[in-house]
Amino acid sequence: MIDERSQVGAGTAVRVTLPIQPPDAGTAGPGAVWRRRGCDEPGIAVALQMSKISAGITEKRIIREPGMPATVARATLLIVDDQPENLAVLGGLLQHHYAVLVASSGAGALAVATRQPTPDLILLDLMMPEMDGYAVLNALRENPVTRDIPVLLLAERWDAGDEEYALSLGAVDYLVKPVRSAVVLARVRNQLDVRRARAILRDHPLSRHGRTVGSPDLQAHGSLFDDLTGLPNRNLLKDRLAHAIAQPRHPDAVLAVLTIEPDRFQSVNETLGREAGDCVITELAARLAAHVHPADTLARVEGDEFVLVADIARVELASVLAQAIIAAMARPLVVAGRELTLGASIGIALFPKDGERGDDLLRCAVSAMHKARAEGGGRSHLYATDMDSRALERLEMEGELRRAIGNGELLLHYQPQLRLRTGRIVGAEALVRWQHPTRGLVPPATFIPLAEDTGLIMPLGAWVLRQACLQNKAWQDAGLARIRVAVNLSARQFESQDMLALVAAALKESGLDPACLELELTESAVMKDAEAFIRTTRQFKARSVSLSIDDFGTGFSSLSYLRRFEFNHLKIDQSFIQDINRDPDNAMIALAVISLAHNLRMSVIAEGVESVAQLAFLRARGCDEMQGDLFSRPLPAAEFAALLGSGRALELPADPALPARTLLLVDDEAGILASLQRLFRREGYTVLAASNGAEALDLLAMHVVQVIISDAHLPVMDGSELLAKVRALYPDTVRMMLSGYTDLQAVTRAVNSGELYQFITKPWNDVKLVEAVRAGFRYHESRRAATHGVIQQFVPDGIQAVP
């Protein structure tokens, strides 16, 4: 502060020029001006006239410069402190918003407070000589003239007893020095709002008709602040917005109304609980407050919706402000021990372009915010007039979709998935369709994003899961081939619902074998909470439910996480398949995905295969399965059943380069051999069977066998001895052991002698056993490729027991 005072006597007038600084401004010199957000023109410069009066009182009065709005000086504050430097700091902070009076003693404060017009608010130091803050507060409350003036007490340190005593005497707030500028401004402004609201309520028509301020009607009307954040609520926002609209402003300046909603907040409440949600709202409110200037209004209107009303020097700065807020909201935050990243969607409406009333501006800002969210969130949108018609159409469609879920308007189509070694159907993807009574068949791209945004994806997804399970079981009961059906899961479902319980209920109701169900998720959904997802995938795998990553290559998966996921399949996104035989980049990406999946013991499904050239390219490079219009478009359930019953298979071109796959099964129990033969013939392998070690060695001498599975307990020659001989005679053959007993000695002997690739326990899980054998063949082929100079390698994770 620059003080131009010289030594003066009583009644001497001194002119002092104080720098006017907003909370985030730097140090200013004499005659400094306060500049509005983004404005190159001087805002308000205030000179304070100080005159010495009796009882140690110094009075500061606002001197308005030409053109300065009268509303700036409408509220009067009294600052009471015996330390001149404290008076200077608070006075310098508050003087550009209010008329400021100061007093350096308790007696002086009482003298000023009783003069007309009385102050609108008093900031009172607690520790003063002769008459402390408690005594001053008590005297103020006993005087009818001053009893209703709100008093904020300032203390050197926090003490629970002092705070309770101060509030019991009638203080409205208790602040501890040093106080932050933003906090002081907010507390002062809030208390002045409350005082103003009370004055409005005294003149409310309900009061004049004999009702008191405490009546239910007035309690609802008089609720001005949000209990959780302390921000203004909708009632106070409307009042402030109307006031802001009425203010004069520079021709280039605009009043901006920003509606702000965090993305994905609903999942926080649903998964972590309301208390965690409250913590998130409080933290986001604090982040937003950092972007609020003293003349702005930040309000929480409901739930997770905030509104910011700000004077902007130029139109283009509204989007700049919105982007700064989005960046702040996107910073990670830790709640309940979890790191969350939410982001935000912001809609912007401008006065007077988008409306001349507060309600119109708020409605336009909300429409623009919905547009930002519909485009994926994490962005802002300025309001445009066509948004209203789109918003109405969206609202109408939401109601229709809500009814469609219960009215039987939804149906499932099924697209076949085929093994590329056999061309046979091994699965199907269930795809939801909406048969609207007047719109016809509504594309999924139209209603699925709407369901995601509105939360309807939960009942919609549950319906798809239940219906797909029931349909697959019905096909099996009708004698059709046993296949798996894949159901797409939304990220929001996985975040907000107990998917383990939901899947268990669908399987129980339908009676479907869990091995015949597959759940598909996009990789971006998987990565939202990777650790939680890892735990869930392990639980699904323990229940024999298959999992796949859909649209792989389009998200941002971490490979360090991917190797820990319990997935069965990776699906290559169709965008990489379209030109796979013509575009080297697409080809390299697809080949990398195939290699990655195989090394992680997963199968690969290519979706969107539409040409024979694409099929041949993928098949020659080891892709396991495909789906696409080359074989069949998605079909209604009845048509798919007819296709499945016909036995039709994909016509595969001859491929001499495709390696042969011969599997040798060795077990002395005829029933087990027959069951294994049925299982693996569906895979397109040449399957050989032997009931003892001698027969197995004879078959190996007559056939090239890539993989052998032997029971541990065989007559004459046990499994360990047989596999040891196989290793010596046919070192390239991949060796696996199957046993109903965890014979530690036999397994240890086999492992130590290097005879065993994998140990599998009886009774086996079909899905896991099939995947283990597929991995064995791929391992054999990758070793052969390596010996021929091809850069392709598969290194197993070591000996694993597969239950």
Side-chain angles (χ1 to χ4, degrees):
M1 180 180 74
I2 308 300
D3 193 339
E4 299 174 352
R5 289 176 296 180
S6 58
Q7 189 173 2
V8 295
T12 305
V14 180
R15 182 174 180 81
V16 179
T17 303
L18 297 175
I20 300 171
Q21 299 175 319
D24 55 350
T27 304
V33 296
W34 179 47
R35 299 181 186 275
R36 291 177 296 169
R37 185 201 316 273
C39 189
D40 296 328
E41 303 151 357
I44 304 166
V46 181
L48 302 177
Q49 182 80 26
M50 302 185 67
S51 59
K52 199 73 179 261
I53 60 176
S54 61
I57 306 162
T58 304
E59 182 179 4
K60 300 182 180 178
R61 298 189 183 278
I62 297 288
I63 300 175
R64 210 176 287 125
E65 288 188 346
M68 174 178 172
T71 54
V72 174
R74 65 181 177 177
T76 300
L77 309 184
L78 170 60
I79 306 172
V80 186
D81 199 302
D82 61 317
Q83 300 295 320
E85 58 270 23
N86 290 342
L87 293 175
V89 169
L90 283 174
L93 174 66
L94 297 168
Q95 65 184 1
H96 54 278
H97 296 297
Y98 312 105
V100 177
L101 307 173
V102 299
S104 58
S105 68
L110 294 176
V112 174
T114 54
R115 291 169 51 191
Q116 295 296 328
T118 59
D120 296 291
L121 183 139
I122 299 174
L123 291 92
L124 176 61
D125 185 38
L126 184 59
M127 302 300 294
M128 293 188 297
E130 299 179 7
M131 191 177 191
D132 64 14
Y134 293 133
V136 175
L137 180 57
N138 197 49
L140 290 169
R141 292 295 172 254
E142 290 179 351
N143 190 332
V145 177
T146 59
R147 68 173 50 150
D148 293 329
I149 301 175
V151 176
L152 278 71
L153 271 182
L154 303 171
E156 295 291 340
R157 62 183 180 83
W158 181 82
D159 181 273
D162 288 346
E163 183 177 16
E164 290 176 8
Y165 183 56
L167 295 175
S168 70
L169 291 178
V172 295
D173 212 337
Y174 182 94
L175 302 178
V176 179
K177 301 175 186 177
V179 290
R180 288 182 294 138
S181 299
V183 172
V184 172
L185 289 169
R187 300 290 178 87
V188 167
R189 184 174 185 176
N190 287 346
Q191 292 302 327
L192 290 173
D193 284 334
V194 171
R195 180 176 173 83
R196 181 166 172 264
R198 285 174 176 164
I200 293 172
L201 291 175
R202 280 196 300 268
D203 299 328
H204 195 277
L206 292 175
S207 297
R208 294 196 294 270
H209 285 82
R211 301 190 188 184
T212 64
V213 172
S215 70
D217 297 304
L218 290 181
Q219 284 176 346
H221 179 80
S223 178
L224 300 174
F225 294 94
D226 174 51
D227 291 336
L228 178 62
T229 62
L231 295 174
N233 65 11
R234 186 181 295 276
N235 292 334
L236 186 52
L237 170 67
K238 288 184 176 180
D239 181 74
R240 286 190 179 176
L241 181 53
H243 179 74
I245 289 172
Q247 298 306 302
R249 50 185 49 86
H250 190 278
D252 293 335
V254 293
L255 182 69
V257 177
L258 286 74
T259 297
I260 306 158
E261 277 195 7
D263 298 328
R264 302 178 296 279
F265 173 76
Q266 185 174 352
S267 64
V268 176
N269 269 344
E270 292 171 346
T271 57
L272 301 181
R274 188 164 297 279
E275 184 175 347
D278 287 348
C279 290
V280 171
I281 289 295
T282 303
E283 169 62 22
L284 295 181
R287 294 185 184 185
L288 289 170
H291 295 272
V292 176
H293 282 194
D296 300 341
T297 293
L298 174 65
R300 181 193 179 203
V301 291
E302 60 181 63
D304 59 345
E305 183 179 336
F306 296 88
V307 173
L308 174 60
V309 179
D311 266 306
I312 306 295
R314 299 186 302 278
V315 170
E316 59 270 22
L317 293 179
S319 294
V320 174
L321 173 60
Q323 290 307 308
I325 291 173
I326 289 171
M329 299 279 272
R331 294 199 311 268
L333 53 94
V334 178
V335 177
R338 296 172 182 265
E339 184 175 287
L340 307 175
T341 303
L342 299 181
S345 299
I346 300 179
I348 307 169
L350 304 175
F351 170 81
K353 180 179 78 72
D354 299 324
E356 297 186 355
R357 299 188 310 114
D359 288 344
D360 294 336
L361 292 171
L362 289 170
R363 176 180 54 77
C364 293
V366 169
S367 292
M369 185 270 294
H370 285 315
K371 171 69 172 174
R373 173 158 290 178
E375 293 181 358
R379 67 194 68 201
S380 66
H381 255 298
L382 288 163
Y383 173 76
T385 52
D386 63 340
M387 288 181 181
D388 281 341
S389 59
R390 290 202 302 267
L392 288 173
E393 182 181 358
R394 178 185 174 89
L395 189 63
E396 181 181 348
M397 181 168 284
E398 178 187 344
E400 293 174 345
L401 179 58
R402 194 179 301 275
R403 290 188 294 273
I405 296 173
N407 290 350
E409 296 175 21
L410 300 179
L411 53 108
L412 291 182
H413 285 189
Y414 300 86
Q415 185 165 38
Q417 296 174 334
L418 304 101
R419 286 285 293 168
L420 289 184
R421 292 195 65 86
T422 65
R424 295 175 59 181
I425 297 174
V426 293
E429 182 179 3
L431 302 165
V432 66
R433 300 289 186 261
W434 180 9
Q435 187 64 53
H436 193 280
T438 58
R439 299 175 190 260
L441 199 63
V442 181
T446 300
F447 69 88
I448 293 296
L450 175 64
E452 291 271 8
D453 290 344
T454 59
L456 289 174
I457 195 66
M458 268 76 85
L460 174 61
W463 179 88
V464 171
L465 175 65
R466 176 178 177 272
Q467 189 64 30
C469 290
L470 289 168
Q471 184 62 74
N472 197 8
K473 186 63 169 66
W475 287 332
Q476 293 179 16
D477 291 344
L480 296 176
R482 177 186 168 99
I483 64 170
R484 68 172 189 270
V485 170
V487 174
N488 290 281
L489 287 187
S490 157
R492 189 162 181 182
Q493 280 181 275
F494 221 90
E495 293 171 352
S496 306
Q497 292 179 296
D498 184 348
M499 291 308 304
L500 286 169
L502 197 65
V503 169
L507 291 172
K508 182 178 180 181
E509 179 187 3
S510 63
L512 182 68
D513 184 341
C516 295
L517 174 64
E518 181 167 279
L519 306 177
E520 289 190 9
L521 285 102
T522 60
E523 58 177 308
S524 56
V526 168
M527 294 308 299
K528 285 185 178 179
D529 190 346
E531 289 294 340
F533 189 81
I534 288 169
R535 293 191 294 270
T536 304
T537 58
R538 289 172 179 166
Q539 292 174 294
F540 274 124
K541 191 159 189 177
R543 290 163 170 79
S544 300
V545 175
S546 298
L547 295 166
S548 67
I549 301 183
D550 197 11
D551 302 334
F552 188 79
T554 60
F556 305 94
S557 288
S558 164
L559 296 184
S560 65
Y561 278 117
L562 187 60
R563 64 186 175 84
R564 298 167 59 195
F565 291 144
E566 299 287 344
F567 280 104
N568 302 89
H569 304 100
L570 289 187
K571 296 187 73 174
I572 306 177
D573 185 66
Q574 58 185 346
S575 62
F576 301 120
I577 302 298
Q578 289 173 355
D579 297 314
I580 193 171
N581 57 310
R582 300 175 182 175
D583 185 334
D585 291 336
N586 279 356
M588 290 302 296
I589 291 172
L591 291 176
V593 172
I594 292 171
S595 177
L596 172 66
H598 288 170
N599 277 276
L600 293 174
R601 300 178 181 275
M602 289 184 273
S603 297
V604 180
I605 303 175
E607 53 183 347
V609 178
E610 297 178 350
S611 72
V612 174
Q614 293 168 352
L615 168 65
F617 188 94
L618 289 163
R619 187 164 176 256
R621 284 153 183 82
C623 184
D624 302 286
E625 299 178 17
M626 64 140 281
Q627 70 182 81
D629 291 351
L630 175 64
F631 181 76
S632 173
R633 60 179 174 80
L635 300 171
E639 293 182 32
F640 183 87
L643 174 65
L644 192 59
S646 71
R648 178 187 158 206
L650 183 67
E651 294 183 7
L652 298 173
D655 186 356
L658 195 66
R661 289 186 173 181
T662 302
L663 172 66
L664 173 58
L665 305 171
V666 187
D667 201 298
D668 60 332
E669 296 184 36
I672 290 178
L673 273 181
S675 178
L676 289 172
Q677 285 176 297
R678 285 194 301 271
L679 176 64
F680 287 111
R681 283 200 179 111
R682 293 200 296 262
E683 293 291 300
Y685 306 147
T686 300
V687 181
L688 307 175
S691 60
N692 58 59
E695 288 182 15
L697 292 173
D698 289 345
L699 288 171
L700 284 162
M702 295 184 288
H703 302 274
V704 178
V705 175
Q706 288 78 35
V707 177
I708 179 174
I709 302 177
S710 174
D711 185 37
H713 294 275
L714 295 172
V716 183
M717 184 191 308
D718 69 13
S720 296
E721 184 180 355
L722 170 62
L723 294 181
K725 292 183 178 182
V726 173
R727 178 174 181 268
L729 294 170
Y730 310 100
D732 288 341
T733 300
V734 176
R735 299 166 296 279
M736 299 183 181
M737 182 176 285
L738 184 68
S739 177
Y741 308 94
T742 307
D743 187 336
L744 183 60
Q745 183 177 0
V747 175
T748 302
R749 188 168 70 250
V751 171
N752 289 342
S753 61
E755 297 151 9
L756 196 58
Y757 170 79
Q758 200 157 61
F759 178 81
I760 302 162
T761 60
K762 296 177 182 177
W764 62 84
N765 175 285
D766 282 356
V767 173
K768 295 176 182 178
L769 181 56
V770 166
E771 289 296 334
V773 173
R774 287 178 184 172
F777 278 113
R778 289 194 293 262
Y779 177 43
H780 180 274
E781 290 156 11
S782 66
R783 287 195 307 178
R784 284 181 56 83
T787 61
H788 289 80
V790 180
I791 303 174
Q792 178 183 357
Q793 188 174 5
F794 173 80
V795 181
D797 295 336
I799 306 303
Q800 298 184 2
V802 179

